[in-house]
Amino acid sequence: MPDERRTPGAPARSASSPRDTVVDRVAGGTPESLRTIPLEDGRSIRDELHHAIKDARRPSVVVMSGGAVGARARLSGNASLGRDPTCEVVLPDAGVSWRHARIEDRGDAWVLVDLGSTNGSQVNGVRSAEGRLAHGDRITLGRTILRFEMQDPLDQAYDEHLERLLHIDDLSGLFVRRRFDMELSRSLAAATASGRSIALLVMDMDGIKAINDRHGHLFGAYTIGETGRVIGEVLGDRGIGSRFGGDEFCALLPDHDQDRAFALAEEIHAAVNRHEYAREGVTLRPGISIGVAAFPENAPDAEKLFQRADEALYRAKQGGRNRVMR
């Protein structure tokens, strides 16, 4: 039997010694802190995923090519597709008929039904009056190609996150310019078809250069982001806001003539001027100049509408800045 020696004064080792326990835990070569801890609730990750996706899969269509590329529409029932602004899926394509096709819920299947369009409807390259749809099928209407998808809740959550990355400006929380241009095009088409008004606000912040020069660009970026949030809060569901770039913003106001739009612009102006801009103990005092124009009151199309709003913004700048003009 081997001779067990120990250092004089050291306690004798026993079976329950803490040091023995540590040695036993690392005997396999992996420290306890690096080992995987088993789940104790009895549900594996696979069980959790299965539970998350067992709900009914929901259909959606995403535009793969054409004027509205990247746009996605989630379907809750029958949906019309066409150039008509009242369609659930609006496609700004001259090769698409006003009301081109309809996706119908037949209970056990989703079906694409052509509505007597000029150029017909295709599913996976095959033209037909009715075509049964499956996940991943390609729908061709005019020059526009869409993909039909059946999404589970995880797919939907992923797409919502992706859409936010693509369409929302991180700094301000408002739409990026490309998405805003799409919304303006749709809104103008709807206003033209219904004979309603639509207004545009073009906004430019005052004092950002001085803030950047005195306190640095982080302070300027903070001020721009705060202003975007103020604009979004004032707009609420009355309009759509966008950060066009730098310290420039726009807002689209459906069903607003010039007078109503001017009143809302003054709300934004007042909100920006009373907002408390403070960072790292520094109080900042930016202003905002706003130009207002309305369709069809001031302009017949999107290009002229922007031009008229820009001209009003220029008058606001020339008149002393930090004011609203039309």
Side-chain angles (χ1 to χ4, degrees):
M1 188 170 187
D3 179 25
E4 292 190 355
R5 291 185 172 86
R6 60 185 178 89
T7 304
R13 293 174 59 193
S14 66
S16 59
S17 167
R19 185 169 181 271
D20 274 339
T21 304
V22 172
V23 171
D24 290 342
R25 286 178 178 175
V26 301
T30 303
E32 181 69 15
S33 61
L34 299 182
R35 291 184 179 179
T36 301
I37 301 174
L39 296 176
E40 298 178 354
D41 61 1
R43 295 176 59 192
S44 67
I45 296 297
R46 181 175 180 178
D47 293 333
E48 292 182 11
L49 291 176
H50 177 74
H51 179 76
I53 66 176
K54 73 177 182 180
D55 298 332
R57 289 155 64 91
R58 301 306 306 163
S60 68
V61 289
V62 57
V63 180
M64 306 299 293
S65 72
V69 64
R72 178 182 294 276
R74 293 179 178 83
L75 311 181
S76 57
N78 295 345
S80 298
L81 301 86
R83 294 198 337 267
D84 184 348
T86 65
C87 287
E88 285 76 13
V89 183
V90 181
L91 302 173
D93 177 350
V96 171
S97 295
W98 192 246
R99 296 185 73 82
H100 194 112
R102 182 173 60 248
I103 296 177
E104 294 184 357
D105 182 1
R106 298 284 179 84
D108 62 341
W110 291 86
V111 177
L112 179 72
V113 179
D114 186 81
L115 299 178
S117 67
T118 300
N119 294 313
S121 303
Q122 299 179 23
V123 177
N124 296 328
V126 179
R127 179 168 175 166
S128 61
E130 291 192 8
R132 188 183 179 102
L133 296 170
H135 176 73
D137 281 348
R138 287 179 293 109
I139 299 170
T140 304
L141 309 178
R143 297 181 182 87
T144 300
I145 299 175
L146 308 95
R147 186 176 66 232
F148 180 80
E149 297 180 350
M150 294 298 296
Q151 295 188 316
D152 60 42
L154 292 180
D155 292 329
Q156 295 169 34
Y158 172 78
D159 279 339
E160 288 172 5
H161 177 66
L162 185 60
E163 283 188 56
R164 181 170 182 83
L165 292 177
L166 291 174
H167 300 302
I168 302 299
D169 173 60
D170 283 342
L171 187 61
S172 66
L174 302 176
F175 278 150
V176 297
R177 179 170 183 169
R178 183 177 177 279
R179 175 61 185 272
F180 183 82
D181 287 343
M182 291 171 57
E183 294 297 333
L184 176 60
S185 177
R186 293 173 185 171
S187 296
L188 273 173
T192 301
S194 62
R196 296 181 176 180
S197 296
I198 184 172
L200 180 70
L201 309 182
V202 175
M203 298 168 270
D204 189 69
M205 295 190 66
D206 300 311
I208 289 296
K209 184 179 185 304
I211 291 172
N212 286 336
D213 290 346
R214 184 170 182 179
H215 302 290
H217 285 79
L218 288 179
F219 283 78
Y222 159 79
T223 307
I224 292 169
E226 284 292 292
T227 299
R229 280 182 277 279
V230 170
I231 291 171
E233 289 171 2
V234 174
L235 287 175
D237 59 4
R238 294 182 291 177
I240 298 170
S242 169
R243 180 181 171 221
F244 252 40
D247 59 353
E248 300 175 355
F249 298 90
C250 284
L252 170 65
L253 309 176
D255 296 318
H256 280 64
D257 60 15
Q258 192 182 53
D259 288 340
R260 287 187 65 199
F262 188 86
L264 201 159
E266 288 193 312
E267 286 185 46
I268 293 173
H269 176 261
V272 169
N273 278 273
R274 69 170 174 264
H275 184 72
E276 183 179 343
Y277 293 85
R279 177 185 171 94
E280 298 177 14
V282 177
T283 299
L284 307 167
R285 298 292 184 190
I288 191 166
S289 297
I290 306 177
V292 182
F295 164 90
E297 188 175 350
N298 308 121
D301 54 41
E303 182 178 355
K304 290 295 184 183
L305 186 60
F306 264 108
Q307 182 179 334
R308 297 293 176 261
D310 265 333
E311 290 169 353
L313 175 63
Y314 178 78
R315 289 192 289 273
K317 293 288 191 180
Q318 290 298 105
R321 302 177 181 269
N322 196 28
R323 62 193 62 205
V324 182
M325 296 293 288
R326 57 176 127 193

